[in-house]
Amino acid sequence: MTEFSLDALLTDIETLVCCESPSSDLDAVAHSAEVLADLGKALLGVEPERIVLDGRTHLRWRFGDGPARVLLLGHHDTVWPMGSLETHPFSVADGVLRGPGCFDMKAGVVMALHAAAALPHRAGLSILVTGDEELGSPSSRALIEEEARGCEATFVLEASADGGAIKTRRKGVSHYRIEVTGRAAHAGLEPEKGINAGIEIAHQMLAVAALADPECGTSVVPTVLSAGTTVNTVPAAAAVDVNVRVWDEEEQLRVDRAVRALQPVLADAQVRISGGINRPSLDAASSAALFGLARELSAEMGLRKPTEAAVGGASDGNYTAGLGVPTLDGLGAVGGGAHSDHEHVLIEELPWRTTLLFALVENVLAKGSPSIPVNPAENSGQSRQCLSGASRERIVP
């Protein structure tokens, strides 16, 4: 059984964590990519491709002359602003590693590189580390789908779920913006001459919130809200952003149709709908075969038995699963507190998780993707079609 040095893993994680890389700072992300490229070259012996899209730097390593068969997928950007190391310094104490972005997901990126470096044969392997995942992957989505298409497996190095569980289901995500145009008027002298966009947006918020279906796990949540300009003016404009999470394509399309069918309630108000489906869901059928393989390999190597979890958050694994590529997510660090002050990694989990990842990649490269070990009748029935994330707009008079 291949074993991995905890000291070596910790050293490389420290290098990445101590290079701050907030998604919104293009220079910081570019610098992080260079630090990561140097680390990867030291481990893998080759330079990565540097792919800059819309100013954001992504890295890709490809091995062998043929098409990619296995994709290791991660990101090196974080939600933490520059200067976070001053208030949240890198540290390792009492078995816990801390630092901005350590759990989500710089430890996972290091695990991927170490696992790949240990492979006796890498032909057919591709490693893609993007720089804009925390923004919703606006520039890297097409790159991810291009790299994953035709692969036999995608392994996503996002952090684990609670207790180290591998993520075998993820909800799909849609984002909408509802904008209302009314008519301004003096709120004290002649309010009747106005069309109150604030009242109209309130009607629209109630309408979209009613589309939620808790029994199906569908949430439809109005989030960022704005309306009005001054305290004595009938609001002429208002807007609200809406976040949608669903378990399957049917629900995603139901909500999409309903949002686009919204009509104004107040006479002469206008409602404009923009946005749309961002990520398809990662369903159980997409991950079942690979999770079964993870359990089988763990038993053979005497590793602890992996557990699984379904989570509401999305990742780039949603995109690969949407293409019909078998996808296993949450293979990265065990810990908690992503995006929060208590973000941390449990260091004792790092070596065996890296060993499991190594075994998964080696097995698929040698033997091909495993068959799905479930009854088709138990599958969610979700289509393998990759849903369009393109923004569409409609104005209702």
Side-chain angles (χ1 to χ4, degrees), residues 142-186:
L143 178 64
I144 293 164
E145 292 176 337
E146 171 194 350
E147 202 64 20
R149 191 172 282 111
C151 281
E152 296 172 45
T154 294
F155 297 112
V156 185
L157 274 298
E158 288 283 0
S160 69
D162 290 347
I166 294 173
K167 297 171 181 176
T168 54
R169 292 184 71 194
R170 283 187 181 271
K171 286 187 177 182
V173 181
S174 302
H175 297 295
Y176 300 94
R177 184 170 177 82
I178 304 172
E179 297 175 281
V180 170
T181 300
R183 184 168 60 237
H186 196 290

Side-chain angles (χ1 to χ4, degrees), residues 95 119 121 220 222 226 230 266 269-270 336 339 374 382:
L119 290 168
H121 305 287
V220 183
S226 63
T230 67
L266 302 183
Q270 289 188 334
H339 302 189
V374 294
Q382 179 177 346

Side-chain angles (χ1 to χ4, degrees), residues 225-307:
L225 172 67
S226 63
T229 53
T230 67
V231 296
N232 60 353
T233 303
V234 173
V240 66
D241 294 303
V242 180
N243 183 286
V244 179
R245 306 282 172 138
V246 300
W247 283 121
D248 59 62
E249 181 187 36
E250 182 179 350
E251 274 292 276
Q252 199 163 34
L253 293 175
R254 176 188 70 82
V255 174
D256 186 72
R257 289 190 296 267
V259 171
R260 298 188 186 284
L262 290 171
Q263 297 293 325
V265 174
L266 302 183
D268 297 326
Q270 289 188 334
V271 175
R272 180 168 56 193
I273 311 295
S274 59
I277 292 169
N278 173 258
R279 282 180 166 97
S281 60
L282 192 168
D283 68 352
S286 298
S287 61
L290 294 177
F291 182 69
L293 178 61
R295 285 197 159 185
E296 177 184 326
L297 293 173
S298 296
E300 290 177 1
M301 294 185 293
L303 301 176
R304 68 192 66 177
K305 183 178 180 181
T307 58

Side-chain angles (χ1 to χ4, degrees), residues 281-366:
S281 60
L282 192 168
D283 68 352
S286 298
S287 61
L290 294 177
F291 182 69
L293 178 61
R295 285 197 159 185
E296 177 184 326
L297 293 173
S298 296
E300 290 177 1
M301 294 185 293
L303 301 176
R304 68 192 66 177
K305 183 178 180 181
T307 58
E308 62 181 314
V311 297
S315 81
D316 287 337
N318 290 61
Y319 293 138
T320 63
L323 292 173
V325 177
T327 299
L328 199 59
D329 203 337
L331 286 163
V334 178
H339 302 189
S340 74
D341 289 339
H342 63 282
E343 182 166 356
H344 66 280
V345 171
L346 302 180
I347 66 171
E348 69 175 2
E349 306 284 341
L350 289 168
W352 83 266
R353 299 276 292 195
T354 307
T355 296
L356 175 59
L357 176 65
F358 164 84
L360 284 165
V361 176
E362 183 183 45
N363 189 279
V364 175
L365 286 176

